[in-house]
Amino acid sequence: MKFKGMLLIILLVPILLPNVSAQSPLVIVPLNDEFTGVPGDTIIIPFQLRNLGNQTVSNVTVYVTGPTEGFLYGSKVIREPIGPNETIQDTISVKILNLDPGRYNLTLVARVGSSYSEAQITVSVKTLVDYALSIDVNDEYTYGSNVTVRLKMTSQANGVIIGRLGYTLTRDGSVLETFVTTIYLRPGESWIKDVKLTTPRVGDYSVYFWANFSGRFKSKTATFRVYQRNLRYDAYFRDGAIYVHVYDENGQGVPDISVKINGIPFKTDNEGTVSYLVDKPGTYEVILNLDGKIVTTFVEVRKLFISAAQENETLLVRVVDSTGNSVPNITVTASGPLGKDYSTTNASGLAEVDLKKVGYGTIMLRAESSRYIGGEASVKVTQPVTPTPTPTTTTTPPLTTTTTPTKPPRSYGPLAAILLIAGVILAGTSYAAFFRPIVQEEMLDRYYFVKVKAPRLKGVDNFRFEKGVNAIEVKATKGKAEIGDGTVVWEIDHLEPEEEAYLQVILG
């Protein structure tokens, strides 16, 4: 029974299985198997697809494989049906990236379903000679600035390249500098050279940069200008600070100008201004670099000094500056037990304070002006004694008369002496002012000041001033001042009529 069942199954198997015919694989054949290129090239690979089977195929995928880096591989799907024993032709692309020179084996693949075909091709990558040139320089520079021109060549080759490069620098058409050299660069390497110009002259400059590698010539040109502006400046003292303002011909402030005040370096701000706080009198040296033009000037900073004398119910206040000159139009503030009083100095530097307003005792005085360093002083004043009138007796018969009281003469105390001395000095100096130079000396704390003024009618030649003092530093607004053995010597070649000059001595 079992034997009959097995026999029946064996006979039925051929009937139940489907008909299957023999099938040859799909074949891909490259029409060229040797290719040459350089980095950046795209290689077109022509190929032929052959259907050796007995059934039509479609949607055939074709692609290229090879090294994981260095190539950009293409792929495509051929949807056109390919009948038995039919052949079609097509192309596929491969791009060479930044790859070293050499021979590379690639595989061309065709796949449909689970069937695929392969073919080998070879790509020879040659040396690519390529590079980039650049010139880094600004368009404009102000005179007095240093200029740096950066030249750069970067290799874009896939191998070592050897060649020559150079540059030519000109100003206003005239050659200033030439340079030529031979170099080699590996892939991605750069050659850099900085051409430095120290405070170049005013003019129009040109840089011509060239290179020649394996017959591939490239060049680049850049131009720049060095110019000098017509700069102006003001230097002055105001409100406790020295100000330096630099501006152009249009009155616009110029930033980034180098300024030195007594050796301390500054740069002008966006408004073209430098400010430097000072609290001591003296002559301050200001040095400016105006687009390469070095200018030196001086700012005289003076301090106000106060002296006072009481005249009955009035306090006479005299204000002088560091040189001993009387200063008009100075606001004087007096503070006392009863309050404050304000006054302004006259042409002689004198101001009057009403003691009935401020009271008697210790009076604090302050002199202020935007043009000077303020001065302070204290003085003690006493209330004046009012004289008691003496009664008189008469033996004459009473008469009806009208008596006009006689006001006692006012006592001017030291004021009369001051006015008398001032009159004598004025009379004497009026002659000197016309024919002889006037020399004034003043000592304040550790400062000793000398002022010389030429007469009105003629200048002064070969002026010399010598003083025996223990000095540690001297400054003069004009001429030459030197410290000797216990002496100070000041010499001026020439002063114009009415021209003034100052000497400041710091005592040891």
Side-chain angles (χ1 to χ4, degrees), residues 417-495:
I418 293 174
L419 296 177
L420 179 60
I421 294 172
V424 173
I425 293 175
L426 179 63
T429 57
S430 62
Y431 171 81
F434 282 96
F435 300 101
R436 298 175 56 189
I438 300 174
V439 180
Q440 295 177 326
E441 303 176 52
E442 182 79 16
M443 183 177 294
L444 299 168
D445 196 15
R446 294 179 59 243
Y447 292 90
Y448 177 70
F449 300 94
V450 180
K451 170 186 173 181
V452 58
K453 183 175 181 180
R456 298 181 182 178
L457 300 182
K458 67 175 184 177
V460 175
D461 293 318
N462 301 321
F463 172 81
R464 177 182 173 88
F465 176 85
E466 184 173 345
K467 188 74 173 182
V469 293
N470 181 21
I472 60 175
E473 184 179 347
V474 294
K475 290 182 179 179
T477 60
K478 191 178 182 69
K480 179 176 66 175
E482 296 180 343
I483 300 175
D485 186 11
T487 61
V488 171
V489 178
W490 182 24
E491 296 179 335
I492 302 175
D493 293 337
H494 179 72
L495 286 172

Side-chain angles (χ1 to χ4, degrees), residues 32 126 140 162 179 187 278 301 313 351 363 457 470:
N32 184 10
K126 302 299 182 181
E140 292 183 331
I162 301 175
F179 174 86
V278 295
V301 178
E313 296 177 342
I363 308 298
L457 300 182
N470 181 21

Side-chain angles (χ1 to χ4, degrees), residues 263-282:
I264 302 175
F266 298 91
K267 289 281 190 179
T268 56
D269 59 17
N270 291 334
E271 303 298 326
T273 301
V274 165
S275 61
Y276 176 57
L277 294 175
V278 295
D279 57 4
K280 294 181 180 180

Side-chain angles (χ1 to χ4, degrees), residues 35 47 59 76 86 106-107 121 138 141 154 198 200 209 222 225 275 281 321 331 337 356 389 451-452 473 482:
F35 300 91
F47 63 88
N59 295 326
K76 64 171 44 180
E86 283 189 351
L106 307 183
T107 302
I121 61 173
N138 294 334
Y141 295 87
T154 301
T198 303
F209 184 29
R225 180 172 72 102
S275 61
D321 62 17
T331 300
K356 291 183 293 184
K451 170 186 173 181
V452 58
E473 184 179 347
E482 296 180 343

Side-chain angles (χ1 to χ4, degrees), residues 142-154:
T142 56
Y143 177 68
S145 304
N146 296 329
V147 177
T148 298
V149 182
R150 169 159 287 194
L151 306 176
K152 183 177 181 181
M153 171 186 168
T154 301

